[in-house]
Amino acid sequence: MTDATLTGSCLCGSVSYRVRKPFLRFAHCHCGRCRKATGTGHASNIYVDPSNFEWVSGREFTKRYDLPTAQSFSTTFCTQCGTPLPHHTRSGREMVIPAGSLDDPPGSLPQVRIFWDSRAPWEGSADGVPTASELPNGWR
Ligand SMILES: [Zn+2]
Ligand SMILES: [Zn+2]
């Protein structure tokens, strides 16, 4: 395994995966959907090319949910412990990796806070990470 390969897993350990760099994007998302899906102030997601991702174990314990009222929102979680887990974007072009499910330090920092205008009133300050009111230009 090289430095460019990271492992990840869920809280209960049923599901594990491997992901290879490079990261396409790394962002905190403050939208209301991510808040619900994670139960926290924001989701911290890393995007990679799907060819750089593979399940190692427990894929049968993953469940995907595509929010019917949304154009692109999806989440995947462990059916045993509820940990948010990697999933294809609905376009299939990218894989979304919840940064908190990584076992290893990602080796880079989030580049932007997106949907900053939708943040929870109890969210902390932006800590120097650039913010975008919704999606930055060029993002789907
Ligand atoms: Zn689990
Ligand atoms: Zn979001």
Side-chain angles (χ1 to χ4, degrees):
M1 195 184 296
T2 70
D3 286 341
T5 301
L6 306 170
T7 64
S9 58
C10 64
L11 185 60
C12 76
S14 297
V15 185
S16 61
Y17 65 86
R18 253 195 299 269
V19 61
R20 239 184 348 265
K21 289 186 169 184
F23 299 155
L24 302 172
R25 297 195 289 268
F26 187 179
H28 294 306
C29 183
H30 292 262
C31 82
R33 289 164 177 161
C34 284
R35 242 184 353 262
K36 289 280 185 192
T38 62
T40 64
H42 56 264
S44 300
N45 288 325
I46 292 166
Y47 294 76
V48 299
D49 189 283
S51 66
N52 286 333
F53 176 86
E54 62 179 339
W55 296 106
V56 174
S57 67
R59 188 173 184 181
E60 67 274 21
F61 294 113
T62 64
K63 177 155 175 58
R64 181 185 178 95
Y65 177 70
D66 291 325
L67 183 64
T69 55
Q71 210 167 26
S72 65
F73 189 89
S74 298
T75 186
T76 290
F77 53 90
C78 173
T79 55
Q80 307 297 297
C81 70
T83 298
L85 288 167
H87 53 275
H88 283 95
T89 55
R90 274 155 85 163
S91 71
R93 285 189 290 252
E94 293 175 352
M95 199 80 189
V96 183
I97 314 293
S101 68
L102 286 171
D103 300 326
D104 302 307
S108 58
L109 295 171
Q111 61 201 114
V112 63
R113 293 180 177 275
I114 64 173
F115 287 96
W116 183 244
D117 287 359
S118 302
R119 69 190 180 278
W122 40 266
E123 180 65 56
S125 67
D127 69 13
V129 176
T131 60
S133 58
E134 293 184 0
L135 278 181
N137 289 335
W139 290 40
R140 277 180 298 280

